[in-house]
Amino acid sequence: MTSVELQSLSKQRRLLVTGGAGFIGSNFAHYWCQHYPNDRVVVLDALTYAGNRRTLIPLDSHSNFRFVQGDICDRPLIDALLQEEAIDTVVHFAAESHVDRSILGPDAFVRTNVVGTFTLLEAFRQHWMSSDRPEDYRFHHVSTDEVYGSLGPHDPAFSETTPYAPNSPYSASKAGSDHLVRAYYHTYGMPTTITNCSNNYGPYHFPEKLIPLMCINILMGKPLPVYGDGQNVRDWLYVEDHCSAIDAVLRRGKVGETYNVGGNNEVKNIDLVQMLCALMNEMAPSLPVKPAESLITFVKDRPGHDRRYAINSSKLQTELGWTPSVTVQEGLRLTVQWFLSHEDWWRPLLSEEYQAYYNKVYA
Ligand code: NAD
Ligand code: TYD
Protein backbone atom coordinates (compact mmCIF):
# COMPACT_ATOMS: atom_id res chain seq x y z
CA MET A 1 0.00 0.00 0.00
CA THR A 2 1.35 3.47 -0.84
CA SER A 3 1.57 6.19 1.81
CA VAL A 4 -1.29 8.04 0.07
CA GLU A 5 -3.52 4.92 0.26
CA LEU A 6 -2.54 4.37 3.87
CA GLN A 7 -3.43 7.94 4.68
CA SER A 8 -6.92 7.63 3.23
CA LEU A 9 -7.52 5.05 5.98
CA SER A 10 -6.46 7.44 8.73
CA LYS A 11 -8.04 10.65 9.97
CA GLN A 12 -7.65 13.86 8.01
CA ARG A 13 -5.49 16.39 9.80
CA ARG A 14 -6.04 20.11 9.55
CA LEU A 15 -2.74 21.97 9.77
CA LEU A 16 -1.91 25.61 10.38
CA VAL A 17 1.67 26.10 9.15
CA THR A 18 3.04 29.43 10.37
CA GLY A 19 5.96 30.89 8.41
CA GLY A 20 5.13 28.58 5.51
CA ALA A 21 6.40 31.07 2.90
CA GLY A 22 9.91 30.98 4.37
CA PHE A 23 12.68 28.51 3.68
CA ILE A 24 11.86 25.50 5.87
CA GLY A 25 8.13 26.20 6.20
CA SER A 26 7.65 26.24 2.42
CA ASN A 27 9.62 23.01 2.01
CA PHE A 28 7.39 21.55 4.72
CA ALA A 29 4.17 22.74 2.98
CA HIS A 30 5.35 21.11 -0.28
CA TYR A 31 6.35 17.95 1.59
CA TRP A 32 3.03 17.68 3.45
CA CYS A 33 0.80 18.31 0.42
CA GLN A 34 2.76 15.67 -1.50
CA HIS A 35 2.76 13.01 1.22
CA TYR A 36 -0.66 13.67 2.75
CA PRO A 37 -2.83 15.15 -0.01
CA ASN A 38 -6.04 14.59 1.96
CA ASP A 39 -4.91 16.82 4.82
CA ARG A 40 -5.84 20.49 4.95
CA VAL A 41 -2.78 22.79 4.89
CA VAL A 42 -3.32 26.46 5.78
CA VAL A 43 -0.16 28.57 5.58
CA LEU A 44 -0.10 31.76 7.65
CA ASP A 45 2.78 34.07 6.83
CA ALA A 46 3.36 37.81 7.21
CA LEU A 47 5.55 37.88 4.08
CA THR A 48 8.42 39.75 5.72
CA TYR A 49 11.59 40.17 3.64
CA ALA A 50 12.20 36.42 4.18
CA GLY A 51 8.77 35.24 3.06
CA ASN A 52 8.16 34.54 -0.61
CA ARG A 53 4.66 33.95 -1.93
CA ARG A 54 6.07 32.70 -5.26
CA THR A 55 7.55 29.65 -3.56
CA LEU A 56 4.04 28.40 -2.82
CA ILE A 57 2.46 29.02 -6.25
CA PRO A 58 2.70 25.32 -7.26
CA LEU A 59 0.44 24.50 -4.28
CA ASP A 60 -2.33 26.94 -5.27
CA SER A 61 -3.89 24.32 -7.55
CA HIS A 62 -4.07 21.84 -4.67
CA SER A 63 -7.66 21.83 -3.38
CA ASN A 64 -6.63 21.37 0.28
CA PHE A 65 -4.15 24.26 0.34
CA ARG A 66 -4.80 27.84 1.43
CA PHE A 67 -2.46 30.79 1.91
CA VAL A 68 -3.28 33.60 4.35
CA GLN A 69 -1.08 36.66 4.70
CA GLY A 70 -1.01 37.70 8.34
CA ASP A 71 0.98 38.19 11.50
CA ILE A 72 1.28 35.63 14.29
CA CYS A 73 0.99 38.52 16.77
CA ASP A 74 -2.54 39.25 15.46
CA ARG A 75 -4.69 37.42 18.00
CA PRO A 76 -8.12 38.06 16.41
CA LEU A 77 -6.80 36.72 13.09
CA ILE A 78 -5.38 33.59 14.73
CA ASP A 79 -8.61 32.96 16.66
CA ALA A 80 -10.66 33.28 13.49
CA LEU A 81 -8.37 30.99 11.47
CA LEU A 82 -8.22 28.26 14.12
CA GLN A 83 -11.98 28.24 14.29
CA GLU A 84 -13.05 28.63 10.67
CA GLU A 85 -10.50 26.07 9.46
CA ALA A 86 -11.12 23.72 12.41
CA ILE A 87 -7.35 23.46 12.90
CA ASP A 88 -6.17 20.52 15.02
CA THR A 89 -2.42 20.80 14.37
CA VAL A 90 -0.19 23.87 14.46
CA VAL A 91 3.29 23.55 12.99
CA HIS A 92 5.03 26.74 14.05
CA PHE A 93 7.94 27.87 11.86
CA ALA A 94 7.31 31.64 11.75
CA ALA A 95 10.27 33.51 13.16
CA GLU A 96 12.94 36.07 12.54
CA SER A 97 15.72 33.63 11.79
CA HIS A 98 19.01 35.31 10.85
CA VAL A 99 21.68 35.84 13.53
CA ASP A 100 23.35 38.77 11.73
CA ARG A 101 20.02 40.64 11.50
CA SER A 102 19.40 39.96 15.21
CA ILE A 103 22.70 41.68 15.99
CA LEU A 104 21.75 44.73 13.89
CA GLY A 105 18.20 44.95 15.29
CA PRO A 106 16.94 42.56 17.98
CA ASP A 107 13.48 44.16 18.42
CA ALA A 108 11.71 42.19 15.68
CA PHE A 109 13.17 38.96 17.10
CA VAL A 110 11.63 39.51 20.52
CA ARG A 111 8.33 40.57 18.97
CA THR A 112 7.87 37.67 16.54
CA ASN A 113 9.76 34.89 18.25
CA VAL A 114 8.63 35.53 21.82
CA VAL A 115 5.41 37.58 21.66
CA GLY A 116 4.25 35.86 18.44
CA THR A 117 4.77 32.38 19.89
CA PHE A 118 2.97 33.44 23.07
CA THR A 119 0.05 34.78 21.03
CA LEU A 120 -0.24 31.50 19.11
CA LEU A 121 -0.01 29.44 22.31
CA GLU A 122 -2.77 31.41 23.99
CA ALA A 123 -5.05 31.22 20.95
CA PHE A 124 -4.43 27.50 20.55
CA ARG A 125 -5.00 26.84 24.26
CA GLN A 126 -8.45 28.39 24.08
CA HIS A 127 -9.23 26.54 20.83
CA TRP A 128 -8.02 23.20 22.23
CA MET A 129 -9.90 23.60 25.51
CA SER A 130 -13.19 24.11 23.71
CA SER A 131 -12.69 21.12 21.41
CA ASP A 132 -14.71 17.91 21.68
CA ARG A 133 -11.69 15.85 20.57
CA PRO A 134 -8.72 17.50 22.37
CA GLU A 135 -6.70 14.27 22.21
CA ASP A 136 -6.28 14.79 18.43
CA TYR A 137 -4.69 18.22 18.86
CA ARG A 138 -1.03 19.12 18.62
CA PHE A 139 1.08 22.28 18.80
CA HIS A 140 4.49 21.60 17.27
CA HIS A 141 7.18 24.21 17.77
CA VAL A 142 10.16 24.30 15.41
CA SER A 143 13.34 25.46 17.11
CA THR A 144 17.08 25.46 16.76
CA ASP A 145 20.20 23.86 18.24
CA GLU A 146 21.53 27.41 18.80
CA VAL A 147 19.58 27.62 22.10
CA TYR A 148 22.24 25.33 23.64
CA GLY A 149 25.09 27.80 23.03
CA SER A 150 28.56 26.99 21.75
CA LEU A 151 30.70 23.84 22.07
CA GLY A 152 34.45 23.41 22.49
CA PRO A 153 36.25 21.15 20.00
CA HIS A 154 35.99 18.03 22.18
CA ASP A 155 32.66 18.61 23.94
CA PRO A 156 29.95 16.01 23.42
CA ALA A 157 27.16 17.01 21.02
CA PHE A 158 24.03 18.78 22.35
CA SER A 159 21.39 16.42 23.73
CA GLU A 160 17.84 17.18 24.85
CA THR A 161 19.09 17.63 28.42
CA THR A 162 21.93 20.07 27.64
CA PRO A 163 21.27 23.29 29.61
CA TYR A 164 20.18 26.27 27.54
CA ALA A 165 22.90 28.93 27.02
CA PRO A 166 21.87 31.10 24.05
CA ASN A 167 24.45 33.66 22.91
CA SER A 168 22.80 35.80 20.22
CA PRO A 169 19.58 37.82 20.33
CA TYR A 170 18.21 35.29 17.79
CA SER A 171 18.98 32.23 19.89
CA ALA A 172 17.88 33.99 23.10
CA SER A 173 14.50 34.79 21.56
CA LYS A 174 14.13 31.19 20.33
CA ALA A 175 15.06 29.93 23.79
CA GLY A 176 12.35 32.18 25.25
CA SER A 177 9.78 30.71 22.87
CA ASP A 178 10.89 27.13 23.70
CA HIS A 179 10.42 27.84 27.41
CA LEU A 180 6.91 29.17 26.82
CA VAL A 181 5.96 26.06 24.83
CA ARG A 182 7.35 23.82 27.54
CA ALA A 183 5.40 25.76 30.20
CA TYR A 184 2.11 25.33 28.30
CA TYR A 185 2.55 21.56 28.46
CA HIS A 186 3.54 21.50 32.11
CA THR A 187 1.00 24.04 33.33
CA TYR A 188 -2.03 23.44 31.13
CA GLY A 189 -1.36 19.96 29.79
CA MET A 190 -1.50 21.38 26.27
CA PRO A 191 -0.28 18.77 23.74
CA THR A 192 2.98 20.32 22.59
CA THR A 193 6.16 18.95 21.02
CA ILE A 194 9.42 20.74 20.20
CA THR A 195 12.21 19.96 17.74
CA ASN A 196 15.63 21.60 18.00
CA CYS A 197 17.37 21.25 14.67
CA SER A 198 20.82 22.01 13.29
CA ASN A 199 21.56 24.19 10.22
CA ASN A 200 19.32 23.40 7.26
CA TYR A 201 20.10 23.89 3.57
CA GLY A 202 18.40 23.17 0.27
CA PRO A 203 15.86 24.72 -2.16
CA TYR A 204 14.15 28.09 -1.43
CA HIS A 205 16.87 29.19 1.02
CA PHE A 206 16.96 33.00 1.35
CA PRO A 207 20.24 34.48 -0.03
CA GLU A 208 21.48 35.95 3.29
CA LYS A 209 22.43 32.56 4.82
CA LEU A 210 25.86 30.96 4.31
CA ILE A 211 25.12 28.33 1.63
CA PRO A 212 22.83 30.33 -0.69
CA LEU A 213 25.01 33.42 -0.24
CA MET A 214 28.11 31.53 -1.36
CA CYS A 215 26.29 29.88 -4.30
CA ILE A 216 24.92 33.22 -5.54
CA ASN A 217 28.18 35.13 -5.05
CA ILE A 218 30.09 32.45 -6.97
CA LEU A 219 27.59 32.76 -9.83
CA MET A 220 27.97 36.56 -9.80
CA GLY A 221 31.77 36.53 -9.41
CA LYS A 222 31.57 38.38 -6.07
CA PRO A 223 33.85 37.87 -3.02
CA LEU A 224 32.95 34.96 -0.71
CA PRO A 225 33.00 36.48 2.81
CA VAL A 226 34.16 33.94 5.40
CA TYR A 227 33.86 35.24 8.97
CA GLY A 228 36.92 35.17 11.25
CA ASP A 229 39.28 32.26 10.67
CA GLY A 230 36.62 30.07 8.99
CA GLN A 231 37.15 27.35 11.61
CA ASN A 232 33.63 27.58 13.11
CA VAL A 233 31.77 24.29 12.87
CA ARG A 234 28.10 23.70 12.03
CA ASP A 235 26.10 20.51 11.63
CA TRP A 236 24.23 20.52 8.29
CA LEU A 237 20.91 18.83 7.50
CA TYR A 238 19.20 18.72 4.10
CA VAL A 239 15.85 20.47 4.53
CA GLU A 240 13.73 17.52 3.37
CA ASP A 241 15.22 15.44 6.18
CA HIS A 242 14.08 18.11 8.64
CA CYS A 243 10.55 17.83 7.18
CA SER A 244 10.56 14.05 7.60
CA ALA A 245 11.76 14.47 11.21
CA ILE A 246 8.84 16.79 12.00
CA ASP A 247 6.53 14.29 10.27
CA ALA A 248 7.87 11.52 12.58
CA VAL A 249 7.35 13.69 15.66
CA LEU A 250 3.80 14.67 14.64
CA ARG A 251 2.83 11.05 14.01
CA ARG A 252 4.75 9.13 16.64
CA GLY A 253 6.23 11.69 19.06
CA LYS A 254 5.15 11.88 22.69
CA VAL A 255 3.48 15.09 23.84
CA GLY A 256 5.53 17.23 26.18
CA GLU A 257 8.77 15.93 24.65
CA THR A 258 11.64 17.64 22.87
CA TYR A 259 13.54 15.91 20.04
CA ASN A 260 16.90 17.03 18.69
CA VAL A 261 17.33 16.79 14.91
CA GLY A 262 20.70 16.70 13.18
CA GLY A 263 22.51 15.38 10.16
CA ASN A 264 25.65 14.05 11.82
CA ASN A 265 27.52 16.24 9.35
CA GLU A 266 29.86 18.53 11.25
CA VAL A 267 31.79 20.72 8.80
CA LYS A 268 34.08 23.72 9.27
CA ASN A 269 32.81 26.80 7.42
CA ILE A 270 35.93 27.11 5.29
CA ASP A 271 35.69 23.46 4.24
CA LEU A 272 32.03 23.90 3.34
CA VAL A 273 32.82 26.95 1.20
CA GLN A 274 35.61 24.99 -0.53
CA MET A 275 33.15 22.16 -1.25
CA LEU A 276 30.69 24.62 -2.79
CA CYS A 277 33.45 26.15 -4.92
CA ALA A 278 34.49 22.72 -6.19
CA LEU A 279 30.90 21.81 -7.07
CA MET A 280 30.35 25.12 -8.87
CA ASN A 281 33.63 24.76 -10.81
CA GLU A 282 32.41 21.35 -11.94
CA MET A 283 28.69 21.98 -12.49
CA ALA A 284 28.20 25.59 -13.63
CA PRO A 285 28.32 25.90 -17.44
CA SER A 286 30.31 29.13 -17.05
CA LEU A 287 31.51 31.25 -14.15
CA PRO A 288 32.65 34.90 -14.23
CA VAL A 289 35.65 34.04 -12.00
CA LYS A 290 37.31 30.63 -12.09
CA PRO A 291 38.36 28.78 -10.03
CA ALA A 292 35.68 29.93 -7.60
CA GLU A 293 38.08 29.42 -4.66
CA SER A 294 39.94 32.56 -5.74
CA LEU A 295 36.93 34.58 -4.51
CA ILE A 296 37.30 33.43 -0.89
CA THR A 297 37.88 36.44 1.39
CA PHE A 298 38.28 36.33 5.16
CA VAL A 299 36.30 39.17 6.75
CA LYS A 300 35.73 40.58 10.26
CA ASP A 301 34.18 38.00 12.57
CA ARG A 302 30.52 38.06 13.63
CA PRO A 303 30.25 39.48 17.21
CA GLY A 304 29.72 36.66 19.72
CA HIS A 305 30.16 34.07 16.93
CA ASP A 306 29.39 30.57 18.31
CA ARG A 307 32.37 28.32 17.63
CA ARG A 308 30.81 24.92 17.21
CA TYR A 309 27.38 23.29 17.09
CA ALA A 310 26.89 19.52 17.07
CA ILE A 311 23.70 17.66 17.78
CA ASN A 312 22.95 14.22 19.14
CA SER A 313 19.70 13.03 17.56
CA SER A 314 19.77 9.48 18.96
CA LYS A 315 16.47 9.98 20.83
CA LEU A 316 14.65 10.71 17.56
CA GLN A 317 16.45 7.84 15.86
CA THR A 318 15.87 5.19 18.50
CA GLU A 319 12.40 6.19 19.78
CA LEU A 320 10.79 7.28 16.52
CA GLY A 321 12.88 5.44 13.92
CA TRP A 322 13.92 8.59 12.01
CA THR A 323 17.22 8.80 10.13
CA PRO A 324 18.53 11.45 7.75
CA SER A 325 18.53 10.16 4.19
CA VAL A 326 20.78 12.68 2.42
CA THR A 327 24.54 12.94 3.03
CA VAL A 328 26.14 16.37 2.99
CA GLN A 329 27.93 15.53 -0.27
CA GLU A 330 24.64 14.56 -1.96
CA GLY A 331 22.73 17.46 -0.40
CA LEU A 332 25.24 20.10 -1.47
CA ARG A 333 25.21 18.75 -5.02
CA LEU A 334 21.40 18.90 -5.10
CA THR A 335 21.49 22.43 -3.67
CA VAL A 336 24.09 23.72 -6.15
CA GLN A 337 22.03 22.19 -8.98
CA TRP A 338 18.92 23.91 -7.59
CA PHE A 339 20.57 27.35 -7.46
CA LEU A 340 21.94 26.84 -10.97
CA SER A 341 18.49 26.10 -12.36
CA HIS A 342 16.44 28.60 -10.32
CA GLU A 343 17.98 31.98 -11.03
CA ASP A 344 14.41 33.20 -11.68
CA TRP A 345 13.71 32.48 -7.99
CA TRP A 346 16.78 34.04 -6.36
CA ARG A 347 17.66 36.97 -8.64
CA PRO A 348 14.59 39.09 -7.68
CA LEU A 349 15.50 38.68 -3.99
CA LEU A 350 18.69 40.73 -4.45
CA SER A 351 16.63 43.89 -3.95
CA GLU A 352 17.75 47.35 -2.85
CA GLU A 353 16.66 46.46 0.70
CA TYR A 354 18.79 43.33 0.54
CA GLN A 355 21.74 45.28 -0.84
CA ALA A 356 21.45 47.82 2.00
CA TYR A 357 21.46 44.98 4.54
CA TYR A 358 24.45 43.37 2.78
CA ASN A 359 26.43 46.61 2.85
CA LYS A 360 25.78 47.02 6.59
CA VAL A 361 27.04 43.52 7.45
CA TYR A 362 29.94 43.25 5.01
CA ALA A 363 31.10 46.88 4.65
P1 NAD B 1 12.94 32.06 7.27
O1 NAD B 1 13.46 33.34 7.80
O2 NAD B 1 13.37 31.59 5.92
O3 NAD B 1 11.34 32.10 7.26
C1 NAD B 1 10.58 32.67 8.29
C2 NAD B 1 9.18 32.91 7.76
O4 NAD B 1 8.39 33.44 8.84
C3 NAD B 1 9.11 33.93 6.63
O5 NAD B 1 8.30 33.44 5.59
C4 NAD B 1 8.50 35.17 7.27
O6 NAD B 1 7.71 35.93 6.35
C5 NAD B 1 7.64 34.54 8.36
N1 NAD B 1 7.39 35.48 9.46
C6 NAD B 1 8.30 36.25 10.11
N2 NAD B 1 7.68 36.99 11.05
C7 NAD B 1 6.37 36.65 11.02
C8 NAD B 1 5.23 37.05 11.75
N3 NAD B 1 5.31 37.97 12.74
N4 NAD B 1 4.04 36.48 11.47
C9 NAD B 1 3.93 35.57 10.47
N5 NAD B 1 4.97 35.16 9.73
C10 NAD B 1 6.17 35.69 10.00
O7 NAD B 1 13.27 30.97 8.39
P2 NAD B 1 13.61 29.42 8.24
O8 NAD B 1 15.06 29.27 8.03
O9 NAD B 1 12.67 28.81 7.30
O10 NAD B 1 13.30 28.94 9.72
C11 NAD B 1 12.00 28.47 10.08
C12 NAD B 1 12.00 28.08 11.54
O11 NAD B 1 12.96 27.04 11.75
C13 NAD B 1 12.39 29.21 12.49
O12 NAD B 1 11.57 29.12 13.64
C14 NAD B 1 13.84 28.92 12.83
O13 NAD B 1 14.16 29.41 14.11
C15 NAD B 1 13.86 27.41 12.78
N6 NAD B 1 15.15 26.80 12.43
C16 NAD B 1 15.82 27.20 11.32
C17 NAD B 1 17.02 26.57 10.97
C18 NAD B 1 17.79 26.95 9.73
O14 NAD B 1 18.88 26.42 9.50
N7 NAD B 1 17.26 27.80 8.86
C19 NAD B 1 17.53 25.56 11.79
C20 NAD B 1 16.81 25.17 12.93
C21 NAD B 1 15.61 25.79 13.23
P1 TYD C 1 24.36 31.11 8.88
O1 TYD C 1 23.96 30.50 7.60
O2 TYD C 1 24.07 32.57 9.09
O3 TYD C 1 23.71 30.23 10.04
P2 TYD C 1 23.94 30.29 11.65
O4 TYD C 1 24.60 31.55 12.01
O5 TYD C 1 22.53 30.25 12.14
O6 TYD C 1 24.73 29.06 11.98
O7 TYD C 1 25.91 30.92 9.10
C1 TYD C 1 26.51 29.64 9.13
C2 TYD C 1 27.96 29.80 9.50
O8 TYD C 1 28.62 30.51 8.45
C3 TYD C 1 28.17 30.64 10.76
O9 TYD C 1 29.29 30.11 11.46
C4 TYD C 1 28.51 32.02 10.24
C5 TYD C 1 29.22 31.72 8.93
N1 TYD C 1 29.05 32.72 7.85
C6 TYD C 1 30.17 33.24 7.19
O10 TYD C 1 31.32 32.87 7.48
N2 TYD C 1 29.97 34.16 6.21
C7 TYD C 1 28.73 34.61 5.86
O11 TYD C 1 28.62 35.49 4.97
C8 TYD C 1 27.59 34.06 6.54
C9 TYD C 1 26.20 34.51 6.18
C10 TYD C 1 27.80 33.12 7.53
Side-chain angles (χ1 to χ4, degrees):
M1 214 181 268
T2 66
S3 62
V4 173
E5 286 164 339
L6 271 175
Q7 197 223 346
S8 63
L9 301 174
S10 67
K11 240 177 281 174
Q12 186 207 35
R13 274 193 191 242
R14 302 187 64 87
L15 276 71
L16 179 67
V17 179
T18 72
F23 165 46
I24 308 174
S26 64
N27 275 281
F28 181 82
H30 282 277
Y31 172 99
W32 206 268
C33 290
Q34 189 191 336
H35 287 81
Y36 306 106
N38 297 328
D39 283 359
R40 178 73 166 159
V41 174
V42 179
V43 163
L44 172 67
D45 196 296
L47 297 183
T48 67
Y49 80 92
N52 192 338
R53 182 65 182 89
R54 285 189 303 127
T55 306
L56 297 169
I57 286 175
L59 299 181
D60 287 336
S61 55
H62 188 293
S63 58
N64 278 327
F65 175 78
R66 177 181 170 196
F67 176 79
V68 177
Q69 182 171 1
D71 193 321
I72 57 166
C73 298
D74 182 346
R75 177 71 192 269
L77 171 68
I78 311 290
D79 286 340
L81 267 182
L82 291 175
Q83 210 181 354
E84 82 193 31
E85 289 286 354
I87 297 296
D88 51 39
T89 305
V90 170
V91 190
H92 176 34
F93 294 93
E96 289 292 336
S97 70
H98 191 38
V99 173
D100 292 323
R101 289 200 192 240
S102 84
I103 295 167
L104 292 174
D107 312 45
F109 288 73
V110 173
R111 180 183 179 275
T112 288
N113 301 1
V114 183
V115 180
T117 302
F118 168 70
T119 308
L120 275 177
L121 284 165
E122 269 299 275
F124 192 75
R125 180 165 77 92
Q126 194 177 20
H127 179 64
W128 161 73
M129 284 193 319
S130 56
S131 163
D132 53 7
R133 47 178 189 95
E135 64 285 356
D136 291 342
Y137 279 43
R138 181 70 73 85
F139 186 104
H140 182 72
H141 177 60
V142 180
S143 193
T144 165
D145 60 355
E146 304 192 24
V147 297
Y148 298 120
S150 182
L151 293 168
H154 305 296
D155 289 338
F158 303 130
S159 78
E160 289 80 1
T161 55
T162 301
Y164 274 33
N167 290 321
S168 71
Y170 163 64
S171 55
S173 65
K174 290 298 289 186
S177 64
D178 293 10
H179 290 321
L180 282 168
V181 175
R182 178 190 156 90
Y184 271 64
Y185 169 72
H186 283 276
T187 305
Y188 304 114
M190 206 168 94
T192 63
T193 40
I194 301 177
T195 42
N196 293 87
C197 188
S198 59
N199 287 55
N200 284 217
Y201 66 102
Y204 306 122
H205 206 175
F206 191 80
E208 67 194 355
K209 302 276 170 66
L210 179 73
I211 289 180
L213 186 143
M214 294 298 163
C215 289
I216 290 170
N217 283 15
I218 293 171
L219 291 172
M220 303 203 330
K222 287 178 60 179
L224 308 179
V226 175
Y227 295 158
D229 61 4
Q231 299 296 306
N232 302 64
V233 174
R234 297 292 182 264
D235 173 64
W236 294 96
L237 182 71
Y238 192 62
V239 63
E240 204 173 322
D241 280 330
H242 188 183
C243 296
S244 71
I246 296 170
D247 183 353
V249 172
L250 284 175
R251 292 191 173 266
R252 302 187 292 283
K254 224 173 119 203
V255 298
E257 292 289 316
T258 286
Y259 298 89
N260 282 354
V261 189
N264 241 343
N265 284 312
E266 280 186 60
V267 188
K268 285 182 185 149
N269 290 342
I270 186 64
D271 295 341
L272 189 85
V273 174
Q274 299 271 11
M275 286 160 84
L276 289 170
C277 288
L279 284 166
M280 280 289 185
N281 290 336
E282 176 201 325
M283 294 165 72
S286 67
L287 288 176
V289 179
K290 225 170 164 178
E293 289 81 350
S294 61
L295 293 166
I296 292 175
T297 312
F298 289 91
V299 299
K300 195 161 131 289
D301 208 355
R302 169 188 281 175
H305 195 176
D306 284 338
R307 194 66 173 168
R308 172 177 167 241
Y309 303 143
I311 197 133
N312 176 343
S313 53
S314 59
K315 176 176 173 184
L316 183 60
Q317 306 208 10
T318 54
E319 292 185 16
L320 306 189
W322 172 87
T323 44
S325 64
V326 180
T327 65
V328 78
Q329 288 77 12
E330 290 163 349
L332 289 179
R333 187 170 280 275
L334 289 170
T335 303
V336 165
Q337 187 53 56
W338 193 88
F339 276 93
L340 282 171
S341 54
H342 289 80
E343 185 172 345
D344 59 328
W345 184 86
W346 57 260
R347 174 82 59 182
L349 302 178
L350 311 180
S351 61
E352 255 176 53
E353 190 278 335
Y354 180 72
Q355 208 49 59
Y357 156 79
Y358 196 95
N359 292 342
K360 259 192 224 161
V361 175
Y362 298 99

